[in-house]
Amino acid sequence: MQITEWYNIKSLTMPSTWVSFLLSIVIVGLILGILYKKEVVSIFVDAMLELILIWKFSVIVTDFSLVIKHPLTMLYFNGGMIGLIIGMLYMLLTLWKKLRRRGFIEEDLQSLFLASILSQSFYQIWMAILNDALLWQKALTIISFSCWMLIAFWKGKAGSIWHMQLLLLFFCTHLFIASLQPLGIWQVSVLVTLLLVLFRIFLQPRRI
């Protein structure tokens, strides 16, 4: 969904993407806190914090000369799309290490499946609500991702085979919806969904 709205919080101007992302991770964190143990929620919260920090301060890598000249720009800028990809890769790497340390237990992988679909679905829905677009585009986005949230809750306790199949279908759905939006399939959110899907497919539960 194309960014058409910006929001002012005192001296900070935030695009609708930031607002959508923050609202999404807060809601998903609360849902995981209700459904899973404290340790599982901690893994999700740590992963989100790592993503935000790496993405925010990756401007040092993506625009080093500007940061050297004006260090305070780190407070107002971020690493953009490249920084987000760096943050995603770093987050997934550290997440893999934590899950491996815990033995790739079924509960962790179930929560990962649920968090992956819910976080992206909530983000897409908030983007549709907060930004301007054609009515049918907004309705299609909201209805489609709302259905996927229901599926995620319904099949959250299913086995890994179910999760892998559903995640692939989820990615195809996202790809189709993105193709009907103004920015097309070349959206960062589509890449994020692809990375999450591939990561979850790569992980397998511990066999006893």
Side-chain angles (χ1 to χ4, degrees):
M1 191 67 68
Q2 192 170 11
I3 303 172
T4 61
E5 298 295 332
W6 297 71
Y7 299 89
N8 295 319
I9 302 177
K10 293 186 178 181
S11 60
L12 179 64
T13 301
M14 298 176 61
S16 56
T17 48
W18 293 19
V19 178
S20 300
F21 176 71
L22 293 174
L23 287 172
S24 300
I25 62 174
V26 169
I27 295 172
V28 175
L30 292 174
I31 291 173
L32 293 180
I34 295 172
L35 299 178
Y36 295 97
K37 299 176 182 177
K38 181 179 179 181
E39 293 81 3
V40 175
V41 180
S42 177
I43 292 175
F44 172 79
V45 172
D46 290 345
M48 290 299 101
L49 289 176
E50 289 168 356
L51 173 60
I52 293 171
L53 289 175
I54 295 297
W55 168 67
K56 181 64 178 174
F57 292 104
S58 61
V59 67
I60 299 174
V61 176
T62 58
D63 206 341
F64 182 74
S65 59
L66 177 64
V67 173
I68 291 297
K69 294 178 182 178
H70 308 285
L72 289 179
T73 55
M74 288 189 297
L75 301 176
Y76 300 99
F77 295 96
N78 55 70
M81 183 178 68
I82 295 176
L84 179 61
I85 294 173
I86 293 173
M88 281 291 300
L89 295 176
Y90 179 84
M91 180 195 74
L92 294 177
L93 176 61
T94 56
L95 186 56
W96 175 79
K97 290 180 178 179
K98 291 177 183 178
L99 295 177
R100 184 184 64 170
R101 194 179 306 124
R102 288 168 57 87
F104 298 118
I105 59 178
E106 192 69 43
E107 184 182 37
D108 288 350
L109 299 185
Q110 288 174 354
S111 67
L112 178 61
F113 165 79
L114 187 64
S116 297
I117 291 183
L118 290 185
S119 58
Q120 186 61 274
S121 295
F122 274 120
Y123 174 80
Q124 292 297 323
I125 290 171
W126 280 115
M127 284 292 289
I129 293 173
L130 296 176
N131 292 284
D132 292 330
L134 296 176
L135 181 59
W136 69 266
Q137 292 174 329
K138 295 165 75 74
L140 177 64
T141 300
I142 293 172
I143 293 172
S144 298
F145 284 102
S146 295
C147 290
W148 268 109
M149 287 193 291
L150 294 176
I151 294 173
F153 283 118
W154 177 36
K155 291 296 183 180
K157 300 292 184 179
S160 290
I161 299 299
W162 262 105
H163 286 176
M164 289 187 287
Q165 293 173 341
L166 288 172
L167 283 168
L168 286 173
L169 186 57
F170 176 70
F171 173 69
C172 292
T173 302
H174 190 175
L175 201 63
F176 172 72
I177 294 173
S179 68
L180 301 176
Q181 294 176 348
L183 296 178
I185 63 173
W186 305 110
Q187 301 183 43
V188 178
S189 61
V190 175
L191 177 59
V192 170
T193 297
L194 177 61
L195 290 175
L196 291 174
V197 168
L198 292 176
F199 180 71
R200 176 58 188 89
I201 291 175
F202 172 75
L203 299 180
Q204 293 299 320
R206 179 180 60 191
R207 298 189 182 277
I208 300 175

